[in-house]
Amino acid sequence: MTDFFKGIPLIKFEGPKSDNDFAFRHYDAEEVVMGKKMKDHLRFAAAYWHSFAWPGGDPFGGATFERPWFGDTIDAAKMKADVAFEMFQILGVPYYCFHDADMRPEGADFRENTRNLETMVDYLAEKQAATGVKLLWGTANLFSHRRFMSGAATNPDPGVFAFSAATIKTCMDATIKLGGENYVLWGGREGYETLLNTDMGRERRQAGRMLQMVVDYKHKMGFKGAILIEPKPQEPTKHQYDYDVATVYGFLKEFGLEGEVQMNIEQGHAILAGHSFEHELAMARELGIFGSIDMNRNDYQSGWDTDQFPNNVPEMALAYYEVLRAGGFKTGGTNFDAKLRRQSLDAEDLILAHVGGMDACAAGLKAAAAMLDDGKLEAARDARYAGWDTADGKGLLSSDLNAITAKVLNDQINPAPRSGRQERLENLVNRYL
Ligand code: XUL
Ligand code: CO
């Protein structure tokens, strides 16, 4: 036991009337919603990087957090793991996620990185066995170290491609050894700053080849989890190749990998791409590539990726509505890719941020389930498209322009516009919140 969270109790469900900051009002892990326990719907995961590796810097100042585990030694990394697992247990989150660089000390080269990673994987395996906390996904940090400044798979230097491929292999090995349920690829610096120095065709082909190698390795190793790509439109590079779900789908089609890879969709990334979160979720569902979510929120004024803890229940209800319509999570889950504000120094800030986020997700999930249970939204949508279920409607799609023109003349088709009833539906949604 460390004393980092000293005095903070295990967080329990106390119901909406509770006055206790250190309690859930909506998240009751065992409560059954639409035939499934809430914990199995939401599959919460805490992110190692924001909560335990990020020091609180911004472009104007350095670290504000002075955590006792900061330092590039194995002992420090073990203390970090001890504290992380204490937090997972206090919150009752069943899963966590990591990048290699979050949980192992940075080595001088690939060999030392791998040795450090393996040491920490053994330690994390012990912690998982002792606590029952599981790994939702692992990933490689191929964007922080300066060697990756011009990309990883898309780098103009083949040496960086090789270093990246080898690092991905070790991170997939770590994920498999820890029983991870998915492996994530976020294209950290897979994009470009200026076309003046960029061969876009080459870079995209390199990324396609790397992804194929990842898929091949997954099958070679018999890994049953999902390979997930996390789209993001900008930041760190000006033009990221994995802009949004639709762009990534085009990329997967181009390289013949659409049946092999699913999406990890992040709330803040969706907004940066000019979409809503629910748009990205619905798009992935329609394309058959929905996998998992990174839950957070951005500041709507600042225009960059602020990775705040989520707290907007009406928005989250619409997101979980799309998750439920996609059939819910299979290997995926709800990962809090969210960090404290840099003034939130205290251990209890870390706990309360997650408590609020988990509660908001639970409230959103319950509202989403109520919308589906009630069926009014589905009925209104079905009614709007009812014409397509008639013989005439179905026939159109297998017809051609000549035959359709003859039909329009013969049947005197002269459609009258009908209301989309948006406000009525928005009012209806508010009744479930
Ligand atoms: C960056 C981001 C990453 C990925 C994992 O914006 O979301 O933390 O989730 O690399
Ligand atoms: Co993310």
Side-chain angles (χ1 to χ4, degrees):
M1 277 290 279
T2 73
D3 63 1
F4 187 70
F5 293 114
K6 200 165 79 196
I8 296 180
L10 297 184
I11 309 297
K12 301 252 164 55
F13 173 72
E14 292 185 4
K17 295 212 174 71
S18 171
D19 195 29
N20 178 4
D21 286 346
F22 294 89
F24 295 120
R25 278 158 191 73
H26 302 284
Y27 180 59
D28 181 0
E30 302 299 321
E31 184 184 330
V32 174
V33 174
M34 284 183 80
K36 213 154 94 176
K37 288 183 180 176
M38 247 199 257
K39 65 177 180 191
D40 299 325
H41 271 295
L42 292 164
R43 294 166 56 85
F44 284 130
Y48 221 90
W49 50 104
H50 286 316
S51 291
F52 305 107
W54 182 64
D58 73 5
F60 304 93
T64 56
F65 303 147
E66 294 180 332
R67 307 301 197 206
W69 57 85
F70 284 170
D72 253 341
T73 64
I74 289 287
D75 281 349
K78 287 185 175 171
M79 188 201 289
K80 190 196 296 188
D82 293 343
V83 173
F85 276 76
E86 281 166 19
M87 185 184 87
F88 307 154
Q89 286 185 286
I90 289 171
L91 294 167
V93 287
Y95 291 100
Y96 71 110
C97 303
F98 62 68
H99 303 83
D100 51 350
D102 309 329
M103 54 81 156
R104 55 119 176 90
E106 190 67 37
D109 54 18
F110 174 72
R111 194 177 297 279
E112 196 180 331
N113 277 350
T114 306
R115 202 165 46 232
N116 290 347
L117 182 69
E118 286 169 354
T119 304
M120 287 311 298
V121 165
D122 289 343
Y123 195 67
L124 292 174
E126 284 170 30
K127 307 241 58 138
Q128 289 185 198
T131 59
V133 175
K134 294 180 284 186
L135 181 65
L136 186 65
W137 49 261
T139 187
N141 179 329
L142 303 177
F143 46 90
S144 291
H145 193 282
R146 63 194 290 276
R147 73 172 66 86
F148 302 118
M149 71 176 190
S150 310
T154 60
N155 203 290
D157 178 351
V160 180
F161 182 99
F163 196 104
S164 305
T167 301
I168 290 175
K169 178 210 166 323
T170 63
C171 289
M172 289 179 77
D173 289 345
T175 301
I176 292 168
K177 193 154 180 202
L178 290 169
E181 300 190 19
N182 307 271
Y183 185 80
V184 164
L185 299 148
W186 168 54
R189 294 185 192 273
E190 310 294 29
Y192 68 90
E193 293 298 324
T194 171
L195 277 179
L196 298 176
N197 65 9
T198 300
D199 183 337
M200 194 198 278
R202 240 183 225 283
E203 294 201 357
R204 291 183 73 263
R205 284 193 297 280
Q206 287 169 211
R209 187 66 200 124
M210 182 75 90
L211 188 57
Q212 181 70 59
M213 289 187 203
V214 168
V215 167
D216 290 347
Y217 192 65
K218 165 193 154 144
H219 291 306
K220 182 172 159 18
M221 298 300 287
F223 179 53
K224 294 284 170 266
I227 302 292
L228 302 171
I229 286 187
E230 185 175 322
K232 184 174 183 182
Q234 74 226 24
E235 206 211 85
T237 70
K238 166 75 181 143
H239 301 277
Q240 295 277 146
Y241 294 128
D242 297 343
Y243 191 95
D244 62 0
V245 169
T247 308
V248 174
Y249 186 71
F251 181 86
L252 294 177
K253 280 291 243 191
E254 182 179 344
F255 293 96
L257 292 168
E258 69 274 17
E260 297 281 1
V261 178
Q262 299 170 10
M263 296 297 102
N264 182 38
I265 302 169
E266 178 165 323
Q267 198 276 0
H269 297 180
I271 305 298
L272 288 174
H275 300 305
S276 64
F277 193 21
E278 60 268 23
H279 165 88
E280 288 289 80
L281 296 166
M283 182 64 83
R285 184 191 66 236
E286 290 306 321
L287 295 171
I289 53 173
F290 172 68
S292 197
I293 64 175
D294 271 11
M295 189 50 108
N296 59 18
R297 103 189 119 102
N298 284 348
D299 183 287
Y300 280 115
Q301 280 74 47
S302 64
W304 65 86
D305 194 13
T306 58
D307 282 338
Q308 290 169 242
F309 277 85
N311 66 359
N312 188 329
V313 176
E315 283 184 0
M316 292 155 85
L318 294 178
Y320 280 111
Y321 176 70
E322 298 302 334
V323 170
L324 291 175
R325 289 184 73 208
F329 297 122
K330 309 245 166 9
T331 61
T334 301
N335 171 46
F336 287 107
D337 195 348
K339 60 178 181 249
L340 294 172
R341 298 307 84 196
R342 72 195 290 269
Q343 298 176 52
S344 303
L345 300 180
D346 298 342
E348 67 173 44
D349 293 322
L350 201 47
I351 301 297
L352 294 176
H354 284 90
V355 169
M358 291 166 77
D359 247 352
C361 288
L365 173 77
K366 281 193 275 190
M371 290 183 213
L372 277 170
D373 262 350
D374 201 25
K376 287 203 179 75
L377 278 173
E378 314 330 291
R381 191 183 300 113
D382 288 349
R384 188 161 183 244
Y385 292 88
W388 286 101
D389 295 329
T390 62
D392 270 0
K394 284 183 188 150
L396 280 180
L397 294 181
S398 50
S399 192
D400 62 40
L401 294 186
N402 276 329
I404 291 177
T405 305
K407 187 173 171 55
V408 169
L409 290 169
N410 195 45
D411 297 358
Q412 295 183 28
I413 294 178
N414 191 16
R418 285 186 301 142
S419 172
R421 297 180 159 180
Q422 181 168 338
E423 295 77 7
R424 184 190 182 126
L425 296 172
E426 286 167 349
N427 295 351
L428 177 61
V429 165
N430 278 346
R431 282 189 237 153
Y432 303 106
L433 295 170

